[in-house]
Amino acid sequence: MTSPVEPDWDPRAAEVQRDPQAATDALREHCPVAYSNLLHWSLLRHADVLRVLHDPATFSSVVSQHVAVPNGMDPPQHTAYRRAIEPYFSPERVAAFEPQCRAIARGLVDALPQGAAFDCIAQLALPFAVQVQCAFLGWTEEDYAALSEWTHANHAATLAQERTLLADLAIQFQSIVTRQLARRRAPGADVNDITASLMREQVNGVPLTDAEIASILRNWTVGEIGSIAASVGILCDWLAQHAPVQAQLRGRPETIPPAVEEILRLRGPLATNRRVATCPVDIGGRHLPAGARVTLHWTAANRDPQAFEDALEYRPERSQEANLLWGAGIHVCPGAPLARMELRVLLEELLALGVVLAPVPGQAPEPAVHPASGWACVPLRLAKPV
């Protein structure tokens, strides 16, 4: 009988929640493969995370009885579904969507109060993430409210780990998707958007089921909304704290893309990802039994000095080849081109206002609680340039 593993750390501890980056940075240096009752085996070094990402045979993505399409699949099943969805994020599709994305960004940016304090998450990041995702999928403005409400409820249930409520919310999301599919199947419906196209998709010659479509859309929606909203909050807070960089980007908007990659390397929008060991394996000086649950810590890996020179310094000119912001291996984020465009466009519109993003004196950002990343609240103001 295997004896229980003594925890090396507590991810829910107050000091970890106050500054998760500093906590995992310290843990990475003295215990790079750390066990906890909450996250089981946490991998914090870049090399160890990269090894897992490139070895799906040993570290499986099938971590739940509820299969996520295609993120929760392994080859060869994953390969077939991945091949079907990748064209939805082609350069042509992303470029075609950019004007609509820019219009959404401009409308939200123009509505921000100038001079007065506002919460960047509630008034910009989340509305932008929800609206661009609905627009990309071909959902209407009427769907914004329902999806926003569901996103807030799902986020709260995830933080509280309320399993029963999460199961109910999964059913609710299925209902949201069912309404979308029924709208497009109605007699006389003439809809040719991303959602309608997905309904015609086949994998290995077999049409996608409604459950598979719902899983794909949930993956796109929950993942995209959460990561885009977190990214916007991180970027805006960071630029407000670094006025010279903000001024440089305003004067040279062509430098926004590498700045986005580097800022989000330093403080990532995604906290963790899961795998399961399919066999006994040694990694980072620890022995993991078959069936061990493994947690990959993206930001800790992206701040590893063994992978990045002066890892904690902002250096947008550095090569981003090792940056795990969008993952790596067979599960590298297929929506990365869309996300990059959305973040670039939002910053272009925000920086073109002619005002300066500034912190609110006496009001500090509120860190998001695991499993979320980034900020839960970011008080900012739009000030006149000095």
Side-chain angles (χ1 to χ4, degrees):
M1 183 175 179
T2 304
S3 60
V5 181
E6 189 70 24
D8 299 303
W9 71 307
D10 179 7
R12 293 278 190 170
E15 62 271 19
V16 176
Q17 295 296 333
R18 276 196 303 271
D19 193 343
Q21 279 71 41
T24 53
D25 283 346
L27 188 63
R28 183 190 60 238
E29 299 310 310
H30 78 267
C31 188
V33 179
Y35 186 82
S36 68
N37 293 326
L38 178 66
L39 300 178
H40 299 266
W41 295 100
S42 288
L43 272 56
L44 301 143
R45 287 194 303 206
H46 188 279
D48 293 335
V49 171
L50 200 61
R51 174 184 166 186
V52 168
L53 296 176
H54 287 294
D55 187 3
T58 304
F59 299 96
S60 171
S61 293
V62 183
V63 298
S64 171
Q65 60 180 346
H66 304 291
V67 178
V69 182
N71 288 23
M73 295 175 167
D74 294 327
Q77 187 183 31
H78 168 270
T79 308
Y81 282 88
R82 176 75 182 225
R83 188 182 300 119
I85 68 169
E86 282 188 336
Y88 289 88
F89 304 100
S90 67
E92 295 77 17
R93 283 188 186 270
V94 171
F97 180 60
E98 181 170 333
Q100 193 173 1
C101 175
R102 189 174 297 278
I104 292 169
R106 184 172 298 147
L108 289 169
V109 165
D110 287 346
L112 294 174
Q114 296 201 14
F118 66 94
D119 177 12
C120 178
I121 301 298
Q123 292 175 253
L124 180 62
L126 271 173
F128 176 71
V130 172
Q131 290 185 33
V132 294
Q133 185 62 15
C134 283
F136 180 71
L137 295 175
W139 298 9
T140 68
E141 291 186 15
E142 296 176 1
D143 300 313
Y144 294 172
L147 189 56
S148 293
E149 183 179 340
W150 184 89
T151 300
H152 283 294
N154 187 68
H155 179 69
T158 301
L159 292 181
Q161 289 297 290
E162 297 182 16
R163 301 295 181 183
T164 301
L165 182 53
L166 284 168
D168 291 341
L169 286 165
I171 295 172
Q172 288 182 28
F173 191 83
Q174 178 74 51
S175 298
I176 292 173
V177 173
T178 297
R179 289 196 297 272
Q180 295 292 336
L181 303 187
R183 185 183 302 169
R184 287 158 180 80
R185 287 173 177 151
D190 184 19
V191 183
N192 188 26
D193 55 25
I194 294 284
T195 302
S197 179
L198 193 61
M199 293 166 64
R200 297 188 294 268
E201 202 63 63
Q202 295 187 358
V203 173
N204 295 326
V206 179
L208 293 175
T209 66
D210 284 6
E212 289 172 334
I213 294 171
S215 181
I216 292 170
L217 289 175
R218 178 169 178 170
N219 180 37
W220 288 357
T221 301
V222 178
E224 187 77 4
I225 290 174
S227 60
I228 290 296
S231 295
V232 171
I234 291 167
L235 291 166
C236 290
D237 170 71
W238 201 92
L239 291 176
Q241 302 289 341
H242 297 81
V245 175
Q246 186 182 159
Q248 182 258 321
L249 297 182
R250 183 177 292 106
R252 296 182 58 204
E254 70 276 9
T255 62
I256 288 175
V260 167
E261 302 286 313
E262 179 70 350
I263 294 168
L264 296 182
R265 179 189 67 81
L266 288 165
R267 191 182 184 96
L270 297 175
T272 60
N273 200 230
R274 297 183 295 164
R275 297 291 191 273
V276 173
T278 61
C279 59
V281 60
D282 293 321
I283 187 167
R286 307 293 291 264
H287 179 76
L288 278 58
R293 295 193 169 272
V294 177
T295 300
L296 311 180
H297 289 255
W298 299 115
T299 306
N302 262 343
R303 292 159 61 95
D304 186 347
Q306 296 300 312
F308 300 92
E309 184 180 0
D310 296 321
L312 302 189
E313 291 187 12
Y314 170 74
R315 290 189 174 183
E317 72 282 358
R318 78 166 83 235
S319 168
Q320 296 295 332
E321 184 178 354
N323 193 338
L324 297 176
L325 172 61
W326 311 106
I330 64 170
H331 287 285
V332 66
C333 178
L338 176 67
R340 285 183 169 116
M341 181 276 288
E342 291 172 350
L343 296 173
R344 170 180 58 79
V345 163
L346 181 65
L347 287 188
E348 286 173 353
E349 293 299 320
L350 192 57
L351 294 173
L353 273 178
V355 293
V356 176
L357 273 173
V360 178
Q363 296 186 37
E366 178 186 335
V369 177
H370 185 88
S373 187
W375 303 107
C377 173
V378 180
L380 292 177
R381 58 191 178 90
L382 298 177
K384 294 181 178 179
V386 179

